Amino acid sequence: MPPTSDKKPRTHNKIPSDPSESAEQAIDDSGWEESILHPGFDDDIYYPHIRYGRYTDGEFHQTALQHLSEPIPESATTASTGIYFLTRKEQQRVKFGVSAKTIQESCEQDGRVAYTIVAESDALEKKIPAQTIVSWLMTFAQEVLAIEQDEYQLLYSGGRSIHLHTDYYVAQRCLEDLKADVIEFNQTENAELDVSLYKPKSQFRLVGARHRDTDLSKVSIQSDAKRADLTSAGNQSHPLALPHTIPHKRKKNSLVAGNADRSVLPNEYETRLHPAYIKQNYSVETVAVPEFDESYTNRYFSPYALTEDGERSVCILEPTGGPYTKLESQEIYVPSYVYAARGADGEYEMFRRKAPVLLSKPDFDKWNYQLGDRVVIIGGQSRNSRIFTVDKFDAEAAAGTLALDGDNREDALRWLEIQEYDIGASGMHGERKFKATSQDEKIRQIQSELERGEREPRYPEVLSVSCSLLQNGGWQRAWDWNKSVWDDKFDPEETHRLLSDVIQRYPEDYGHIEIPPR
């Protein structure tokens, strides 16, 4: 249980928004383009930053990272749940206009983020009584977090939500554990706390911010507040304040880095980490960060990012080394040649690059792949991915599908399924695209639909039919069919290469077919 505080109960104006001079230092900018894989602990000084959000012309935008000592912008309505501890060079990058997201991800990767522990429920819009929601939040605080009454406060958002603020923080590597506890709490208590808060880069409404729909302010409320009390309280004005309890003077320019026993966070924040969400080092045999050559990108691929809505990522890689861990964050990566990868949002992509690929603890536990293996990772919300090896031809075919314009994850998975790999639930939402029939029947169905113009020709499906035609009708049959299906998009050079690859790769099935000259 967290230590009992002897402080007096807090009020919602505990956190002032005192203005101060900018904390940026004029430093030498040489080497400021250093890779985010090696942000460089060139000193033991961190600079606390935060990111605000605001509405402009009805659309929500996040600002650049801002030093914590600077005043809250008057137009801001939200703040990041995370406090980001920038190195001196990263602070200079902010000055040079490097995107806030890039620097946030660098801090996340190295464990230099402290997330305030908050909770909320927007069940007011479902006409659930305020007292019921307050009861959920207080039960979560007292029984799950096991904190004292003077270590948390209740607030009305000014709109459809009631919020819980606490004095505690959680480190990057334990954010998922906190989320899991909220999910379990919802299930056991039949509650409706919002679980989307517990992810990197989340924003949370500022105290005093006026809701754009109701013009009511976010303000502190009593535990016995009823619906009418919320509106009355929200009509009061209040200066903007952070939803965080800041454990040091806001004007303080810099903080000393921690010793990495539990985290690399400054001591002021490490001592405010909730005891239930502190992890010691993984008991896994991993090596320190290897030296990367110039061919490695400064980006990494995460199979788990943006999977909250049930979407799945697809990554096809070849390991170039064994897994390693960054001792500061305890995150595990495997250095890889990434044939192709597309994130769960369908937009983030990586093709034919050397880059680290993030492994969750469950995925690391089952990782037994060697140099030269072609590995497919299908990532999801559970962080317990579907991982399997494929042969080189299938790796290239699936990667070629992912590399086509647009979001082709489903096509790549369909190709792998047709080749009889177990991809788990088919499609991106678990719905099967084919009836549970034999592979030959699936291929005949695809062939018929392509010939009737009911299906757009796409690389994996055309190739699967071509393999069948090669085996049963020979080279000319497959060639003529490709020419007919692709019509004016027919590429003789590419078709010759693909059909030749099939014959040479699988001589036991296609060795009787003679490859004609180009």
Side-chain angles (χ1 to χ4, degrees), residues 254 401 478:
S254 60
T401 302

Side-chain angles (χ1 to χ4, degrees), residues 41 46 110-112 257-260 262-266 270 328-329:
F41 294 89
Y46 289 157
D110 287 306
R112 292 180 282 116
N259 59 16
R262 297 189 301 177
S263 73
V264 295
L265 299 174
E270 185 170 280
E328 300 85 4
S329 65

Side-chain angles (χ1 to χ4, degrees), residues 404-450:
L404 296 172
D405 290 340
D407 179 9
N408 296 290
R409 289 170 294 159
E410 196 163 345
D411 288 334
L413 291 177
R414 187 181 301 143
W415 160 258
L416 292 169
E417 185 180 34
I418 289 172
Q419 305 313 307
E420 300 185 349
Y421 293 106
D422 183 2
I423 66 169
S426 181
M428 302 315 297
H429 298 281
E431 297 176 357
R432 301 195 65 81
K433 297 298 180 180
F434 301 105
K435 296 179 180 179
T437 57
S438 70
Q439 293 296 326
D440 288 341
E441 288 175 337
K442 290 180 183 179
I443 292 172
R444 284 197 295 271
Q445 178 185 346
I446 293 170
Q447 180 180 351
S448 297
E449 291 176 358
L450 286 167

Side-chain angles (χ1 to χ4, degrees), residues 41-58:
F41 294 89
D42 56 341
D43 53 34
D44 294 327
I45 303 300
Y46 289 157
Y47 302 86
H49 281 65
I50 198 165
R51 195 175 185 191
Y52 295 101
R54 63 188 176 200
Y55 284 93
T56 304
D57 297 329

